[in-house]
Amino acid sequence: MDFEVERAMSISGKAIQLDNGLRLHTLDGGSGTPLLFAHGFPLDHSMWRHQLEALALDHRVIAADLRGFGKSDSLPGPASMPAIADDLAMLLDALQIPQVVFCGLSMGGYVAWQFWERHPERLRGLIICDSRAAADSPETARGRLIMAERVRLEGAAPLIEAMLPRLFSAQTFQQQPAVVAAIRQTMAGTKTGAIAAALEGMAARADMSWRLNTMDVPALLLAGEDDVISPASEMRTMASAMPDARFVAIPNAGHLAPLEKPVEVNRAILEFLQERVT
Ligand code: MLT
């Protein structure tokens, strides 16, 4: 999948060295308003393949493998959402890009809220796909820590079995088995240390729902109508709490709407960019 994305964009991924010593594997191509993509858990930049292909025609697109994922380095300890947001700010420093539209899916959305909090001057817009602003309940957080231990001991299989059935709409499972198989493969290839570190980081993440009404950056919140992890109804409520946000629901898509329904997602993103981001 990686190779196909790179070939379609006529660019190759490269390792970018950050000031904190990390090297992040990053795709960077196209020209125009810069769009920074942050992938979901436990995936890599290739989940954005359709957006990178389509949007690079008239935007600069930057998609990194977040710390530990894909071909990127990891650092010891939990992968906190603020630390990942800071990695991405350092990545922009290294690429000499002052401002971006930040597009994050699920865990990438948790990182986007932290990017808004810590690097607001770098943000021209927010695109949040299939994500939440609330923190984990204590029970969910405990479950993540238990899963982190299991993954360290047993490998990624228990996580894949628990998570894969919840990632897609019924239609995607029926009609796009290759998409499901590719995501299973990506999950199975993800380093177990990165999975565990991100589970710990997500379990500890802050509740940002009470901050939504202060996020006055132009925002698009986009949800698969059949998403059972980040329900569309919750995202609609989040968008209505934000001063300058629009909400778009994608029919017959689940938690990975950008992969399941790329045409519809790309249309929503392009309309938002054309109308709201100058
Ligand atoms: C993701 O897709 O990034 C995960 O579903 C996030 C989460 O587990 O909360």
Side-chain angles (χ1 to χ4, degrees), residues 34 60 89-99 122:
R60 182 165 178 186
M90 283 181 247
L91 177 69
L92 297 182
D93 289 341
L95 295 172
Q96 299 185 309
I97 300 176
Q99 283 197 314
R122 307 199 81 147

Side-chain angles (χ1 to χ4, degrees), residues 69-186:
F69 293 94
K71 295 187 203 153
S72 286
D73 289 349
S74 48
L75 287 176
S80 75
M81 302 301 108
I84 299 175
D86 289 350
D87 291 345
L88 293 175
M90 283 181 247
L91 177 69
L92 297 182
D93 289 341
L95 295 172
Q96 299 185 309
I97 300 176
Q99 283 197 314
V100 290
V101 177
F102 193 119
C103 181
L105 180 132
S106 199
M107 180 180 77
Y110 309 155
V111 174
W113 306 134
Q114 294 305 318
F115 193 88
W116 165 81
E117 170 132 295
R118 301 164 76 82
H119 307 285
E121 72 290 350
R122 307 199 81 147
L123 215 46
R124 287 176 69 172
L126 272 177
I127 301 173
I128 307 288
C129 305
D130 299 290
S131 192
R132 310 183 65 207
D136 280 355
S137 67
E139 189 188 355
T140 301
R142 231 181 351 263
R144 286 201 204 266
L145 300 184
I146 292 168
M147 181 59 86
E149 281 315 300
R150 282 194 70 186
V151 168
R152 282 196 175 98
L153 292 170
E154 300 171 35
L159 178 84
I160 296 173
E161 296 324 312
M163 202 170 167
L164 197 70
R166 307 182 74 225
L167 283 182
F168 301 102
S169 69
Q171 190 190 80
T172 301
F173 277 115
Q174 279 160 13
Q175 297 181 5
Q176 302 193 75
V179 170
V180 178
I183 286 294
R184 178 188 279 279
Q185 196 182 348
T186 303

Side-chain angles (χ1 to χ4, degrees), residues 219-223 231-237 239-240 245-249:
L220 166 66
L221 271 63
L222 191 151
S233 56
E234 185 174 325
M235 290 201 78
R236 185 189 296 276
T237 305
S240 61
R246 69 171 60 165
F247 171 74
V248 175

Side-chain angles (χ1 to χ4, degrees), residues 39-43 105-108 110 130 136 144 163 167 199 202 205 229-230 255-256:
H39 59 78
F41 166 85
L43 306 175
L105 180 132
S106 199
M107 180 180 77
Y110 309 155
D130 299 290
D136 280 355
R144 286 201 204 266
M163 202 170 167
L167 283 182
L199 283 166
M202 289 192 287
R205 76 185 190 280
I229 297 176
S230 317
H255 189 58
L256 297 183

